[in-house]
Amino acid sequence: MDWTDPDTFAQALEQAETKEKGNYFENFEEGDVIEHDPGLTLTRFGNEQWMSQTLNHDPAYWRTDAARARGFEDPPIHPDYLTAATLGITVEDLSEKGGYFLGRTDVRFPEAPVYAGTELHVESEVVNRATSSSRPEYGIVSWRTRGKDAETGDVLCSYERTNMIPRRDPVATDGSGAAAAEADDGPELSDEFITPDGGYYEDFAEALETAADENAAVAYRHERGRTQDDVTVASLPLSTLNTAKQHHNVDVMADSPSGDIVTYGDVTRSTALGHARSDEETWREVGFDDESFHTFVAVGDTVYAFTRVLEAESGASSDEAGTVRFEHIAFNQNDEPVYSGTRTAEIRKRPN
Ligand SMILES: CC(C)(COP(=O)(O)OP(=O)(O)OC[C@H]1O[C@@H](n2cnc3c(N)ncnc32)[C@H](O)[C@@H]1OP(=O)(O)O)[C@@H](O)C(=O)NCCC(=O)NCCSC(=O)C[C@](C)(O)C(=O)O
């Protein structure tokens, strides 16, 4: 019998069992520790590919003289790429089954830079699992993930991430969770917005002082936008070993709520951060909190960024910088927020 005869093959496909990938909600127990098998060597090529496509052009990550002026030996691996690669490696075990990346918090990096050639070994611990009161077919799982130097065991990047994960057995729900979330309107906007004059630490600190006197907010938009294409949607996540079908299987995603493949959350976020960093003198990334992904980004959507400056403090790991806390909101061509999160970064002080 010719198994490639279309009728025979259609019957064969119907009869065959699919060897499934990924884990259902029921497979996760609080306290489980998962060592992720894929590993990744952090290369200069991978770093430059990620950073170029997301418009992150800080010269310290591209040129040796600029890197040395920042106190690095060579251009290091950027924390955005490190974060995306750490998460990418975990997808096969944690979220390949499907479900949405809802948010992440407590993203932290040690002070020491990470250099090309470092091999990444990643592990995650299940820290929380809950039923979704609005979506019976999903549960909500949070993991604490640590990306380590495979040779030394040093933690290079850590965070807590939360995803919706498909349940093997859907549960009954009254849909009350979604209704409760809609009830909170939040505080009103300030009447006046102030834009910092420049991108040095003092520009942010001075703008905050003026805003405090005038009961205003320090908030502004960035001009650049990046339309999502096959490279950003499909290639970048695969370059971090992220096997989520959301980013590369158009066939399966046609039947999903988005109806199409969607941008990896870390690409959306890095792109918005790239826009924000293009208007500041970044010295070092310290960490990120309260990151949320509000709606899908797909091929053809354009990612823009909006920044609110929350706090500024003169101290930092270097005398040449101060510390600033920002809220960044990525939004699309219809002005809908797609990502938000707070970021703590050291920003270079104005040279005398
Ligand atoms: C998911 C959608 C459809 C839900 O839309 P909705 O209107 O139903 O939203 P909701 O009602 O606000 O949230 C649903 C439930 O999630 C909970 N929730 C919500 N946020 C959080 C959070 N941060 N932490 C903890 N829980 C959270 C929330 O409390 C609620 O719980 P409930 O069902 O019990 O009422 C909508 O929010 C959406 O479209 N978001 C965008 C998702 C997205 O595009 N993510 C990035 C791309 S996917 C990706 O990168 C994949 C990755 C990295 O490869 C990979 O994980 O494998």
Side-chain angles (χ1 to χ4, degrees), residues 87 91 95 99-103 131-135 140 161-164 177-178 181 242 244 246-247 262-265 291-296:
L87 197 157
V91 167
S95 49
Y100 312 102
F101 180 12
L102 294 171
T131 51
S132 162
S133 52
S134 59
R135 294 174 177 242
I140 297 174
R161 149 163 92 122
T162 301
N163 268 58
M164 278 195 172
N242 179 335
Q246 286 106 310
H247 315 307
V262 300
T263 306
Y264 175 18
E291 299 192 287
S292 278
F293 295 94
H294 303 277
T295 193
F296 303 117

Side-chain angles (χ1 to χ4, degrees), residues 5 30 36 41 80 84 88 132 142 151 190 205 211 239 266 280 288 290 308 310 323 334-335 342-343 350:
D5 166 76
E30 260 174 54
H36 305 292
T41 303
D80 278 15
S132 162
S142 303
E151 200 183 323
S190 310
S239 75
D266 267 328
E280 67 179 46
F288 295 81
D290 303 319
R308 191 154 71 100
L310 304 176
T323 304
N334 301 319
D335 296 348
T342 61
R343 162 174 169 249
R350 204 179 285 143

